[in-house]
Amino acid sequence: MDCPKCHQTALLETTRPEGVVVQQCSECEGHWLTKVQYEQWQVTHPPQVATAECLSQPGLPRHTTSFNDAKAALCPECRRYLSRAKVHYPDPFFLERCNECEGYWCDRGEWDVLNHLGVSGFLEQFFDQEHQMKLREQNAANREQAQMVEKLGPALANQIMELADVLADHPAGDYALAYLVRKAAQTSEMREFRVQ
Ligand SMILES: [Zn+2]
Ligand SMILES: [Zn+2]
């Protein structure tokens, strides 16, 4: 079996320090997990969901994206194109998988990140559209909240977020929102009037 990224470099069976058996490339240090090897790992590593919080928690180790990460590749076992799934880490990267024979390819360092996050027993989730969509939504919401805190300060930002939740659940929430928008429009008109 040859490395899908370096070609003509043979993959060699290696046991990594954490105990997983992989097919490793001596040149790029990427590794292939066959379906059987991965399933053996899963026996002792139950599925854990990679939430947006888990992927963006403070103090995560830096990951230097491999120069191979952007390269499309063929499965070393069945020669089909590997599908790619983005892992929304602070230093994002793509995990690869063969949908045919169900092996996984990790470029250098990617497995360590996934293992550090505790999600190495549930790599399928990154190829699940619904999970990816949920992560994107959570990331967008987190960014919006961070911007609000930056612009308004934490106290007012929290009040606004609480109010937004209250109004979302209230049957006449629209009425209150319309009032706020009207009020804001009036205030900005008055500001413009003062400037002139
Ligand atoms: Zn390689
Ligand atoms: Zn394959």
Side-chain angles (χ1 to χ4, degrees):
M1 216 189 295
D2 284 347
C3 174
K5 303 268 172 133
C6 304
H7 305 293
Q8 289 171 350
T9 307
L11 297 174
L12 298 174
E13 191 158 295
T14 314
T15 306
R16 296 182 55 87
E18 69 280 9
V20 68
V21 181
V22 301
Q23 310 298 124
Q24 184 148 316
C25 174
S26 55
E27 202 169 315
C28 67
E29 291 174 56
H31 48 83
W32 178 250
L33 285 121
T34 65
K35 178 182 161 71
V36 173
Q37 286 171 336
Y38 186 58
E39 281 175 356
Q40 269 163 8
W41 174 255
Q42 282 182 305
V43 171
T44 46
H45 294 80
Q48 189 178 311
V49 175
T51 59
E53 284 72 29
C54 146
L55 289 163
S56 62
Q57 58 188 295
L60 286 176
R62 285 303 302 261
H63 166 65
T64 312
T65 307
S66 162
F67 61 94
N68 268 337
D69 192 46
K71 258 191 220 171
L74 299 177
C75 173
E77 292 185 72
C78 70
R79 313 302 297 162
R80 282 169 205 270
Y81 267 105
L82 298 177
S83 27
R84 292 150 59 80
K86 191 167 186 179
V87 178
H88 297 267
Y89 198 66
D91 310 292
F93 58 88
F94 287 92
L95 177 67
E96 281 144 289
R97 170 186 141 107
C98 176
N99 292 332
E100 192 64 27
C101 62
E102 295 171 39
Y104 286 95
W105 176 259
C106 296
D107 292 305
R108 193 192 58 217
E110 294 176 359
W111 173 263
D112 293 328
V113 166
L114 296 163
N115 200 32
H116 178 90
L117 292 168
V119 300
S120 61
F122 191 20
L123 298 183
E124 299 94 315
Q125 63 182 314
F126 295 103
F127 295 84
D128 172 359
Q129 298 245 323
E130 208 177 307
H131 171 82
Q132 286 285 359
M133 212 164 69
K134 236 184 254 165
L135 268 185
R136 271 199 297 273
E137 278 168 12
Q138 277 179 17
N139 278 331
N142 290 351
R143 267 199 305 276
E144 191 178 39
Q145 288 189 0
Q147 278 168 1
M148 189 131 75
V149 169
E150 200 185 300
K151 283 187 196 295
L152 305 177
L156 184 55
N158 278 333
Q159 274 183 324
I160 297 285
M161 287 186 272
E162 275 170 24
L163 182 61
D165 286 341
V166 172
L167 294 182
D169 292 337
H170 195 284
D174 288 0
Y175 179 83
L177 279 176
Y179 172 80
L180 287 173
V181 170
R182 221 168 33 242
K183 204 69 186 160
Q186 276 170 8
T187 314
S188 71
E189 265 171 34
M190 271 164 60
R191 278 211 196 101
E192 274 167 32
F193 179 71
R194 263 186 244 135
V195 171
Q196 282 162 3

mmCIF file with all atom_site columns, all heavy atoms in Angstrom, residues 107-131:
data_model
loop_
_atom_site.group_PDB
_atom_site.id
_atom_site.type_symbol
_atom_site.label_atom_id
_atom_site.label_alt_id
_atom_site.label_comp_id
_atom_site.label_asym_id
_atom_site.label_entity_id
_atom_site.label_seq_id
_atom_site.pdbx_PDB_ins_code
_atom_site.Cartn_x
_atom_site.Cartn_y
_atom_site.Cartn_z
_atom_site.occupancy
_atom_site.B_iso_or_equiv
_atom_site.pdbx_formal_charge
_atom_site.auth_seq_id
_atom_site.auth_comp_id
_atom_site.auth_asym_id
_atom_site.auth_atom_id
_atom_site.pdbx_PDB_model_num
ATOM 1   N N   . ASP A 1 107 ? -3.415  13.603 7.675  1.00 0.00 ? 107 ASP A N   1
ATOM 2   C CA  . ASP A 1 107 ? -2.113  14.207 7.399  1.00 0.00 ? 107 ASP A CA  1
ATOM 3   C C   . ASP A 1 107 ? -1.403  14.390 8.739  1.00 0.00 ? 107 ASP A C   1
ATOM 4   O O   . ASP A 1 107 ? -2.034  14.292 9.802  1.00 0.00 ? 107 ASP A O   1
ATOM 5   C CB  . ASP A 1 107 ? -2.294  15.554 6.691  1.00 0.00 ? 107 ASP A CB  1
ATOM 6   C CG  . ASP A 1 107 ? -2.855  15.388 5.288  1.00 0.00 ? 107 ASP A CG  1
ATOM 7   O OD1 . ASP A 1 107 ? -2.250  14.637 4.509  1.00 0.00 ? 107 ASP A OD1 1
ATOM 8   O OD2 . ASP A 1 107 ? -3.907  15.998 4.995  1.00 0.00 ? 107 ASP A OD2 1
ATOM 9   N N   . ARG A 1 108 ? -0.099  14.695 8.660  1.00 0.00 ? 108 ARG A N   1
ATOM 10  C CA  . ARG A 1 108 ? 0.716   14.801 9.871  1.00 0.00 ? 108 ARG A CA  1
ATOM 11  C C   . ARG A 1 108 ? 0.046   15.686 10.934 1.00 0.00 ? 108 ARG A C   1
ATOM 12  O O   . ARG A 1 108 ? -0.384  16.800 10.636 1.00 0.00 ? 108 ARG A O   1
ATOM 13  C CB  . ARG A 1 108 ? 2.088   15.390 9.522  1.00 0.00 ? 108 ARG A CB  1
ATOM 14  C CG  . ARG A 1 108 ? 3.105   15.260 10.642 1.00 0.00 ? 108 ARG A CG  1
ATOM 15  C CD  . ARG A 1 108 ? 4.321   16.097 10.377 1.00 0.00 ? 108 ARG A CD  1
ATOM 16  N NE  . ARG A 1 108 ? 3.913   17.499 10.228 1.00 0.00 ? 108 ARG A NE  1
ATOM 17  C CZ  . ARG A 1 108 ? 4.467   18.334 9.375  1.00 0.00 ? 108 ARG A CZ  1
ATOM 18  N NH1 . ARG A 1 108 ? 5.426   17.934 8.586  1.00 0.00 ? 108 ARG A NH1 1
ATOM 19  N NH2 . ARG A 1 108 ? 4.047   19.575 9.279  1.00 0.00 ? 108 ARG A NH2 1
ATOM 20  N N   . GLY A 1 109 ? -0.072  15.176 12.149 1.00 0.00 ? 109 GLY A N   1
ATOM 21  C CA  . GLY A 1 109 ? -0.579  15.953 13.279 1.00 0.00 ? 109 GLY A CA  1
ATOM 22  C C   . GLY A 1 109 ? -2.088  15.926 13.456 1.00 0.00 ? 109 GLY A C   1
ATOM 23  O O   . GLY A 1 109 ? -2.593  16.244 14.524 1.00 0.00 ? 109 GLY A O   1
ATOM 24  N N   . GLU A 1 110 ? -2.834  15.550 12.420 1.00 0.00 ? 110 GLU A N   1
ATOM 25  C CA  . GLU A 1 110 ? -4.299  15.630 12.512 1.00 0.00 ? 110 GLU A CA  1
ATOM 26  C C   . GLU A 1 110 ? -4.868  14.621 13.512 1.00 0.00 ? 110 GLU A C   1
ATOM 27  O O   . GLU A 1 110 ? -5.765  14.945 14.287 1.00 0.00 ? 110 GLU A O   1
ATOM 28  C CB  . GLU A 1 110 ? -4.920  15.411 11.117 1.00 0.00 ? 110 GLU A CB  1
ATOM 29  C CG  . GLU A 1 110 ? -4.572  16.535 10.156 1.00 0.00 ? 110 GLU A CG  1
ATOM 30  C CD  . GLU A 1 110 ? -5.078  16.319 8.740  1.00 0.00 ? 110 GLU A CD  1
ATOM 31  O OE1 . GLU A 1 110 ? -5.706  15.269 8.460  1.00 0.00 ? 110 GLU A OE1 1
ATOM 32  O OE2 . GLU A 1 110 ? -4.841  17.191 7.909  1.00 0.00 ? 110 GLU A OE2 1
ATOM 33  N N   . TRP A 1 111 ? -4.322  13.413 13.471 1.00 0.00 ? 111 TRP A N   1
ATOM 34  C CA  . TRP A 1 111 ? -4.811  12.395 14.403 1.00 0.00 ? 111 TRP A CA  1
ATOM 35  C C   . TRP A 1 111 ? -4.574  12.845 15.852 1.00 0.00 ? 111 TRP A C   1
ATOM 36  O O   . TRP A 1 111 ? -5.425  12.668 16.722 1.00 0.00 ? 111 TRP A O   1
ATOM 37  C CB  . TRP A 1 111 ? -4.124  11.047 14.136 1.00 0.00 ? 111 TRP A CB  1
ATOM 38  C CG  . TRP A 1 111 ? -4.445  10.008 15.165 1.00 0.00 ? 111 TRP A CG  1
ATOM 39  C CD1 . TRP A 1 111 ? -3.692  9.673  16.258 1.00 0.00 ? 111 TRP A CD1 1
ATOM 40  C CD2 . TRP A 1 111 ? -5.631  9.201  15.240 1.00 0.00 ? 111 TRP A CD2 1
ATOM 41  N NE1 . TRP A 1 111 ? -4.313  8.707  16.991 1.00 0.00 ? 111 TRP A NE1 1
ATOM 42  C CE2 . TRP A 1 111 ? -5.502  8.391  16.398 1.00 0.00 ? 111 TRP A CE2 1
ATOM 43  C CE3 . TRP A 1 111 ? -6.768  9.079  14.444 1.00 0.00 ? 111 TRP A CE3 1
ATOM 44  C CZ2 . TRP A 1 111 ? -6.491  7.473  16.772 1.00 0.00 ? 111 TRP A CZ2 1
ATOM 45  C CZ3 . TRP A 1 111 ? -7.745  8.163  14.814 1.00 0.00 ? 111 TRP A CZ3 1
ATOM 46  C CH2 . TRP A 1 111 ? -7.605  7.375  15.957 1.00 0.00 ? 111 TRP A CH2 1
ATOM 47  N N   . ASP A 1 112 ? -3.395  13.431 16.122 1.00 0.00 ? 112 ASP A N   1
ATOM 48  C CA  . ASP A 1 112 ? -3.068  13.883 17.480 1.00 0.00 ? 112 ASP A CA  1
ATOM 49  C C   . ASP A 1 112 ? -4.087  14.909 17.968 1.00 0.00 ? 112 ASP A C   1
ATOM 50  O O   . ASP A 1 112 ? -4.505  14.875 19.120 1.00 0.00 ? 112 ASP A O   1
ATOM 51  C CB  . ASP A 1 112 ? -1.658  14.484 17.525 1.00 0.00 ? 112 ASP A CB  1
ATOM 52  C CG  . ASP A 1 112 ? -0.593  13.428 17.274 1.00 0.00 ? 112 ASP A CG  1
ATOM 53  O OD1 . ASP A 1 112 ? -0.821  12.265 17.661 1.00 0.00 ? 112 ASP A OD1 1
ATOM 54  O OD2 . ASP A 1 112 ? 0.441   13.762 16.679 1.00 0.00 ? 112 ASP A OD2 1
ATOM 55  N N   . VAL A 1 113 ? -4.482  15.821 17.067 1.00 0.00 ? 113 VAL A N   1
ATOM 56  C CA  . VAL A 1 113 ? -5.476  16.832 17.434 1.00 0.00 ? 113 VAL A CA  1
ATOM 57  C C   . VAL A 1 113 ? -6.807  16.153 17.780 1.00 0.00 ? 113 VAL A C   1
ATOM 58  O O   . VAL A 1 113 ? -7.406  16.418 18.829 1.00 0.00 ? 113 VAL A O   1
ATOM 59  C CB  . VAL A 1 113 ? -5.689  17.844 16.278 1.00 0.00 ? 113 VAL A CB  1
ATOM 60  C CG1 . VAL A 1 113 ? -6.935  18.678 16.498 1.00 0.00 ? 113 VAL A CG1 1
ATOM 61  C CG2 . VAL A 1 113 ? -4.471  18.747 16.134 1.00 0.00 ? 113 VAL A CG2 1
ATOM 62  N N   . LEU A 1 114 ? -7.251  15.260 16.912 1.00 0.00 ? 114 LEU A N   1
ATOM 63  C CA  . LEU A 1 114 ? -8.542  14.593 17.114 1.00 0.00 ? 114 LEU A CA  1
ATOM 64  C C   . LEU A 1 114 ? -8.527  13.760 18.385 1.00 0.00 ? 114 LEU A C   1
ATOM 65  O O   . LEU A 1 114 ? -9.508  13.698 19.127 1.00 0.00 ? 114 LEU A O   1
ATOM 66  C CB  . LEU A 1 114 ? -8.867  13.709 15.902 1.00 0.00 ? 114 LEU A CB  1
ATOM 67  C CG  . LEU A 1 114 ? -9.048  14.510 14.602 1.00 0.00 ? 114 LEU A CG  1
ATOM 68  C CD1 . LEU A 1 114 ? -8.948  13.609 13.383 1.00 0.00 ? 114 LEU A CD1 1
ATOM 69  C CD2 . LEU A 1 114 ? -10.389 15.244 14.626 1.00 0.00 ? 114 LEU A CD2 1
ATOM 70  N N   . ASN A 1 115 ? -7.383  13.137 18.656 1.00 0.00 ? 115 ASN A N   1
ATOM 71  C CA  . ASN A 1 115 ? -7.246  12.320 19.850 1.00 0.00 ? 115 ASN A CA  1
ATOM 72  C C   . ASN A 1 115 ? -7.227  13.209 21.102 1.00 0.00 ? 115 ASN A C   1
ATOM 73  O O   . ASN A 1 115 ? -7.874  12.898 22.107 1.00 0.00 ? 115 ASN A O   1
ATOM 74  C CB  . ASN A 1 115 ? -5.966  11.491 19.748 1.00 0.00 ? 115 ASN A CB  1
ATOM 75  C CG  . ASN A 1 115 ? -5.991  10.310 20.663 1.00 0.00 ? 115 ASN A CG  1
ATOM 76  O OD1 . ASN A 1 115 ? -7.057  9.745  20.917 1.00 0.00 ? 115 ASN A OD1 1
ATOM 77  N ND2 . ASN A 1 115 ? -4.846  9.951  21.193 1.00 0.00 ? 115 ASN A ND2 1
ATOM 78  N N   . HIS A 1 116 ? -6.508  14.340 21.010 1.00 0.00 ? 116 HIS A N   1
ATOM 79  C CA  . HIS A 1 116 ? -6.451  15.286 22.125 1.00 0.00 ? 116 HIS A CA  1
ATOM 80  C C   . HIS A 1 116 ? -7.863  15.796 22.466 1.00 0.00 ? 116 HIS A C   1
ATOM 81  O O   . HIS A 1 116 ? -8.215  15.961 23.633 1.00 0.00 ? 116 HIS A O   1
ATOM 82  C CB  . HIS A 1 116 ? -5.548  16.474 21.763 1.00 0.00 ? 116 HIS A CB  1
ATOM 83  C CG  . HIS A 1 116 ? -5.476  17.519 22.826 1.00 0.00 ? 116 HIS A CG  1
ATOM 84  N ND1 . HIS A 1 116 ? -4.524  17.483 23.820 1.00 0.00 ? 116 HIS A ND1 1
ATOM 85  C CD2 . HIS A 1 116 ? -6.256  18.605 23.078 1.00 0.00 ? 116 HIS A CD2 1
ATOM 86  C CE1 . HIS A 1 116 ? -4.725  18.513 24.629 1.00 0.00 ? 116 HIS A CE1 1
ATOM 87  N NE2 . HIS A 1 116 ? -5.758  19.209 24.206 1.00 0.00 ? 116 HIS A NE2 1
ATOM 88  N N   . LEU A 1 117 ? -8.675  16.018 21.444 1.00 0.00 ? 117 LEU A N   1
ATOM 89  C CA  . LEU A 1 117 ? -10.046 16.506 21.650 1.00 0.00 ? 117 LEU A CA  1
ATOM 90  C C   . LEU A 1 117 ? -10.969 15.414 22.191 1.00 0.00 ? 117 LEU A C   1
ATOM 91  O O   . LEU A 1 117 ? -12.092 15.696 22.605 1.00 0.00 ? 117 LEU A O   1
ATOM 92  C CB  . LEU A 1 117 ? -10.626 17.026 20.330 1.00 0.00 ? 117 LEU A CB  1
ATOM 93  C CG  . LEU A 1 117 ? -9.991  18.293 19.756 1.00 0.00 ? 117 LEU A CG  1
ATOM 94  C CD1 . LEU A 1 117 ? -10.461 18.514 18.329 1.00 0.00 ? 117 LEU A CD1 1
ATOM 95  C CD2 . LEU A 1 117 ? -10.332 19.499 20.615 1.00 0.00 ? 117 LEU A CD2 1
ATOM 96  N N   . GLY A 1 118 ? -10.512 14.183 22.164 1.00 0.00 ? 118 GLY A N   1
ATOM 97  C CA  . GLY A 1 118 ? -11.325 13.066 22.665 1.00 0.00 ? 118 GLY A CA  1
ATOM 98  C C   . GLY A 1 118 ? -12.339 12.561 21.650 1.00 0.00 ? 118 GLY A C   1
ATOM 99  O O   . GLY A 1 118 ? -13.240 11.803 22.000 1.00 0.00 ? 118 GLY A O   1
ATOM 100 N N   . VAL A 1 119 ? -12.224 12.984 20.381 1.00 0.00 ? 119 VAL A N   1
ATOM 101 C CA  . VAL A 1 119 ? -13.234 12.608 19.389 1.00 0.00 ? 119 VAL A CA  1
ATOM 102 C C   . VAL A 1 119 ? -12.703 11.589 18.368 1.00 0.00 ? 119 VAL A C   1
ATOM 103 O O   . VAL A 1 119 ? -13.347 11.335 17.351 1.00 0.00 ? 119 VAL A O   1
ATOM 104 C CB  . VAL A 1 119 ? -13.787 13.856 18.651 1.00 0.00 ? 119 VAL A CB  1
ATOM 105 C CG1 . VAL A 1 119 ? -14.425 14.812 19.645 1.00 0.00 ? 119 VAL A CG1 1
ATOM 106 C CG2 . VAL A 1 119 ? -12.698 14.567 17.866 1.00 0.00 ? 119 VAL A CG2 1
ATOM 107 N N   . SER A 1 120 ? -11.527 11.005 18.667 1.00 0.00 ? 120 SER A N   1
ATOM 108 C CA  . SER A 1 120 ? -10.932 10.099 17.689 1.00 0.00 ? 120 SER A CA  1
ATOM 109 C C   . SER A 1 120 ? -11.719 8.794  17.536 1.00 0.00 ? 120 SER A C   1
ATOM 110 O O   . SER A 1 120 ? -11.526 8.055  16.584 1.00 0.00 ? 120 SER A O   1
ATOM 111 C CB  . SER A 1 120 ? -9.478  9.789  18.057 1.00 0.00 ? 120 SER A CB  1
ATOM 112 O OG  . SER A 1 120 ? -9.428  9.151  19.314 1.00 0.00 ? 120 SER A OG  1
ATOM 113 N N   . GLY A 1 121 ? -12.619 8.518  18.463 1.00 0.00 ? 121 GLY A N   1
ATOM 114 C CA  . GLY A 1 121 ? -13.446 7.313  18.348 1.00 0.00 ? 121 GLY A CA  1
ATOM 115 C C   . GLY A 1 121 ? -14.710 7.540  17.525 1.00 0.00 ? 121 GLY A C   1
ATOM 116 O O   . GLY A 1 121 ? -15.524 6.637  17.371 1.00 0.00 ? 121 GLY A O   1
ATOM 117 N N   . PHE A 1 122 ? -14.879 8.752  16.996 1.00 0.00 ? 122 PHE A N   1
ATOM 118 C CA  . PHE A 1 122 ? -16.117 9.080  16.284 1.00 0.00 ? 122 PHE A CA  1
ATOM 119 C C   . PHE A 1 122 ? -15.824 9.986  15.087 1.00 0.00 ? 122 PHE A C   1
ATOM 120 O O   . PHE A 1 122 ? -16.338 11.097 14.986 1.00 0.00 ? 122 PHE A O   1
ATOM 121 C CB  . PHE A 1 122 ? -17.089 9.754  17.265 1.00 0.00 ? 122 PHE A CB  1
ATOM 122 C CG  . PHE A 1 122 ? -18.493 9.916  16.768 1.00 0.00 ? 122 PHE A CG  1
ATOM 123 C CD1 . PHE A 1 122 ? -19.000 9.156  15.715 1.00 0.00 ? 122 PHE A CD1 1
ATOM 124 C CD2 . PHE A 1 122 ? -19.338 10.843 17.377 1.00 0.00 ? 122 PHE A CD2 1
ATOM 125 C CE1 . PHE A 1 122 ? -20.302 9.323  15.280 1.00 0.00 ? 122 PHE A CE1 1
ATOM 126 C CE2 . PHE A 1 122 ? -20.646 11.011 16.951 1.00 0.00 ? 122 PHE A CE2 1
ATOM 127 C CZ  . PHE A 1 122 ? -21.134 10.254 15.897 1.00 0.00 ? 122 PHE A CZ  1
ATOM 128 N N   . LEU A 1 123 ? -14.969 9.486  14.203 1.00 0.00 ? 123 LEU A N   1
ATOM 129 C CA  . LEU A 1 123 ? -14.572 10.296 13.043 1.00 0.00 ? 123 LEU A CA  1
ATOM 130 C C   . LEU A 1 123 ? -15.689 10.404 12.008 1.00 0.00 ? 123 LEU A C   1
ATOM 131 O O   . LEU A 1 123 ? -15.717 11.348 11.223 1.00 0.00 ? 123 LEU A O   1
ATOM 132 C CB  . LEU A 1 123 ? -13.302 9.718  12.393 1.00 0.00 ? 123 LEU A CB  1
ATOM 133 C CG  . LEU A 1 123 ? -12.042 9.684  13.268 1.00 0.00 ? 123 LEU A CG  1
ATOM 134 C CD1 . LEU A 1 123 ? -10.858 9.154  12.478 1.00 0.00 ? 123 LEU A CD1 1
ATOM 135 C CD2 . LEU A 1 123 ? -11.731 11.069 13.841 1.00 0.00 ? 123 LEU A CD2 1
ATOM 136 N N   . GLU A 1 124 ? -16.619 9.453  12.013 1.00 0.00 ? 124 GLU A N   1
ATOM 137 C CA  . GLU A 1 124 ? -17.734 9.480  11.046 1.00 0.00 ? 124 GLU A CA  1
ATOM 138 C C   . GLU A 1 124 ? -18.484 10.800 11.113 1.00 0.00 ? 124 GLU A C   1
ATOM 139 O O   . GLU A 1 124 ? -18.985 11.292 10.111 1.00 0.00 ? 124 GLU A O   1
ATOM 140 C CB  . GLU A 1 124 ? -18.766 8.369  11.325 1.00 0.00 ? 124 GLU A CB  1
ATOM 141 C CG  . GLU A 1 124 ? -18.240 6.967  11.254 1.00 0.00 ? 124 GLU A CG  1
ATOM 142 C CD  . GLU A 1 124 ? -17.817 6.450  12.617 1.00 0.00 ? 124 GLU A CD  1
ATOM 143 O OE1 . GLU A 1 124 ? -17.143 7.205  13.359 1.00 0.00 ? 124 GLU A OE1 1
ATOM 144 O OE2 . GLU A 1 124 ? -18.140 5.299  12.941 1.00 0.00 ? 124 GLU A OE2 1
ATOM 145 N N   . GLN A 1 125 ? -18.566 11.378 12.315 1.00 0.00 ? 125 GLN A N   1
ATOM 146 C CA  . GLN A 1 125 ? -19.395 12.571 12.504 1.00 0.00 ? 125 GLN A CA  1
ATOM 147 C C   . GLN A 1 125 ? -18.975 13.738 11.600 1.00 0.00 ? 125 GLN A C   1
ATOM 148 O O   . GLN A 1 125 ? -19.810 14.527 11.186 1.00 0.00 ? 125 GLN A O   1
ATOM 149 C CB  . GLN A 1 125 ? -19.375 13.022 13.958 1.00 0.00 ? 125 GLN A CB  1
ATOM 150 C CG  . GLN A 1 125 ? -18.004 13.450 14.443 1.00 0.00 ? 125 GLN A CG  1
ATOM 151 C CD  . GLN A 1 125 ? -18.032 13.841 15.913 1.00 0.00 ? 125 GLN A CD  1
ATOM 152 O OE1 . GLN A 1 125 ? -18.898 14.569 16.370 1.00 0.00 ? 125 GLN A OE1 1
ATOM 153 N NE2 . GLN A 1 125 ? -17.087 13.319 16.672 1.00 0.00 ? 125 GLN A NE2 1
ATOM 154 N N   . PHE A 1 126 ? -17.672 13.822 11.288 1.00 0.00 ? 126 PHE A N   1
ATOM 155 C CA  . PHE A 1 126 ? -17.214 14.947 10.478 1.00 0.00 ? 126 PHE A CA  1
ATOM 156 C C   . PHE A 1 126 ? -17.714 14.855 9.038  1.00 0.00 ? 126 PHE A C   1
ATOM 157 O O   . PHE A 1 126 ? -17.687 15.824 8.303  1.00 0.00 ? 126 PHE A O   1
ATOM 158 C CB  . PHE A 1 126 ? -15.688 15.052 10.507 1.00 0.00 ? 126 PHE A CB  1
ATOM 159 C CG  . PHE A 1 126 ? -15.176 15.367 11.889 1.00 0.00 ? 126 PHE A CG  1
ATOM 160 C CD1 . PHE A 1 126 ? -14.604 14.387 12.674 1.00 0.00 ? 126 PHE A CD1 1
ATOM 161 C CD2 . PHE A 1 126 ? -15.309 16.641 12.407 1.00 0.00 ? 126 PHE A CD2 1
ATOM 162 C CE1 . PHE A 1 126 ? -14.156 14.670 13.954 1.00 0.00 ? 126 PHE A CE1 1
ATOM 163 C CE2 . PHE A 1 126 ? -14.868 16.941 13.685 1.00 0.00 ? 126 PHE A CE2 1
ATOM 164 C CZ  . PHE A 1 126 ? -14.289 15.950 14.462 1.00 0.00 ? 126 PHE A CZ  1
ATOM 165 N N   . PHE A 1 127 ? -18.165 13.656 8.648  1.00 0.00 ? 127 PHE A N   1
ATOM 166 C CA  . PHE A 1 127 ? -18.657 13.461 7.286  1.00 0.00 ? 127 PHE A CA  1
ATOM 167 C C   . PHE A 1 127 ? -20.186 13.493 7.251  1.00 0.00 ? 127 PHE A C   1
ATOM 168 O O   . PHE A 1 127 ? -20.797 13.219 6.236  1.00 0.00 ? 127 PHE A O   1
ATOM 169 C CB  . PHE A 1 127 ? -18.120 12.134 6.723  1.00 0.00 ? 127 PHE A CB  1
ATOM 170 C CG  . PHE A 1 127 ? -16.628 12.183 6.576  1.00 0.00 ? 127 PHE A CG  1
ATOM 171 C CD1 . PHE A 1 127 ? -15.802 11.911 7.668  1.00 0.00 ? 127 PHE A CD1 1
ATOM 172 C CD2 . PHE A 1 127 ? -16.045 12.573 5.387  1.00 0.00 ? 127 PHE A CD2 1
ATOM 173 C CE1 . PHE A 1 127 ? -14.428 11.994 7.550  1.00 0.00 ? 127 PHE A CE1 1
ATOM 174 C CE2 . PHE A 1 127 ? -14.677 12.662 5.263  1.00 0.00 ? 127 PHE A CE2 1
ATOM 175 C CZ  . PHE A 1 127 ? -13.865 12.378 6.348  1.00 0.00 ? 127 PHE A CZ  1
ATOM 176 N N   . ASP A 1 128 ? -20.788 13.846 8.372  1.00 0.00 ? 128 ASP A N   1
ATOM 177 C CA  . ASP A 1 128 ? -22.238 13.907 8.493  1.00 0.00 ? 128 ASP A CA  1
ATOM 178 C C   . ASP A 1 128 ? -22.661 15.358 8.254  1.00 0.00 ? 128 ASP A C   1
ATOM 179 O O   . ASP A 1 128 ? -22.298 16.261 8.993  1.00 0.00 ? 128 ASP A O   1
ATOM 180 C CB  . ASP A 1 128 ? -22.609 13.425 9.902  1.00 0.00 ? 128 ASP A CB  1
ATOM 181 C CG  . ASP A 1 128 ? -24.064 13.626 10.226 1.00 0.00 ? 128 ASP A CG  1
ATOM 182 O OD1 . ASP A 1 128 ? -24.802 14.155 9.382  1.00 0.00 ? 128 ASP A OD1 1
ATOM 183 O OD2 . ASP A 1 128 ? -24.456 13.266 11.353 1.00 0.00 ? 128 ASP A OD2 1
ATOM 184 N N   . GLN A 1 129 ? -23.443 15.579 7.173  1.00 0.00 ? 129 GLN A N   1
ATOM 185 C CA  . GLN A 1 129 ? -23.834 16.939 6.762  1.00 0.00 ? 129 GLN A CA  1
ATOM 186 C C   . GLN A 1 129 ? -24.538 17.701 7.880  1.00 0.00 ? 129 GLN A C   1
ATOM 187 O O   . GLN A 1 129 ? -24.284 18.877 8.090  1.00 0.00 ? 129 GLN A O   1
ATOM 188 C CB  . GLN A 1 129 ? -24.790 16.839 5.578  1.00 0.00 ? 129 GLN A CB  1
ATOM 189 C CG  . GLN A 1 129 ? -24.163 16.199 4.376  1.00 0.00 ? 129 GLN A CG  1
ATOM 190 C CD  . GLN A 1 129 ? -24.062 17.182 3.230  1.00 0.00 ? 129 GLN A CD  1
ATOM 191 O OE1 . GLN A 1 129 ? -24.955 17.987 3.053  1.00 0.00 ? 129 GLN A OE1 1
ATOM 192 N NE2 . GLN A 1 129 ? -22.987 17.134 2.488  1.00 0.00 ? 129 GLN A NE2 1
ATOM 193 N N   . GLU A 1 130 ? -25.418 16.989 8.575  1.00 0.00 ? 130 GLU A N   1
ATOM 194 C CA  . GLU A 1 130 ? -26.205 17.649 9.613  1.00 0.00 ? 130 GLU A CA  1
ATOM 195 C C   . GLU A 1 130 ? -25.295 18.168 10.725 1.00 0.00 ? 130 GLU A C   1
ATOM 196 O O   . GLU A 1 130 ? -25.453 19.285 11.210 1.00 0.00 ? 130 GLU A O   1
ATOM 197 C CB  . GLU A 1 130 ? -27.208 16.655 10.186 1.00 0.00 ? 130 GLU A CB  1
ATOM 198 C CG  . GLU A 1 130 ? -28.458 17.300 10.732 1.00 0.00 ? 130 GLU A CG  1
ATOM 199 C CD  . GLU A 1 130 ? -29.432 16.234 11.208 1.00 0.00 ? 130 GLU A CD  1
ATOM 200 O OE1 . GLU A 1 130 ? -29.735 15.335 10.394 1.00 0.00 ? 130 GLU A OE1 1
ATOM 201 O OE2 . GLU A 1 130 ? -29.834 16.281 12.371 1.00 0.00 ? 130 GLU A OE2 1
ATOM 202 N N   . HIS A 1 131 ? -24.316 17.324 11.095 1.00 0.00 ? 131 HIS A N   1
ATOM 203 C CA  . HIS A 1 131 ? -23.367 17.715 12.136 1.00 0.00 ? 131 HIS A CA  1
ATOM 204 C C   . HIS A 1 131 ? -22.566 18.934 11.685 1.00 0.00 ? 131 HIS A C   1
ATOM 205 O O   . HIS A 1 131 ? -22.364 19.881 12.439 1.00 0.00 ? 131 HIS A O   1
ATOM 206 C CB  . HIS A 1 131 ? -22.426 16.549 12.448 1.00 0.00 ? 131 HIS A CB  1
ATOM 207 C CG  . HIS A 1 131 ? -21.283 16.915 13.336 1.00 0.00 ? 131 HIS A CG  1
ATOM 208 N ND1 . HIS A 1 131 ? -21.421 16.990 14.707 1.00 0.00 ? 131 HIS A ND1 1
ATOM 209 C CD2 . HIS A 1 131 ? -20.013 17.267 13.068 1.00 0.00 ? 131 HIS A CD2 1
ATOM 210 C CE1 . HIS A 1 131 ? -20.258 17.362 15.220 1.00 0.00 ? 131 HIS A CE1 1
ATOM 211 N NE2 . HIS A 1 131 ? -19.391 17.537 14.245 1.00 0.00 ? 131 HIS A NE2 1
#
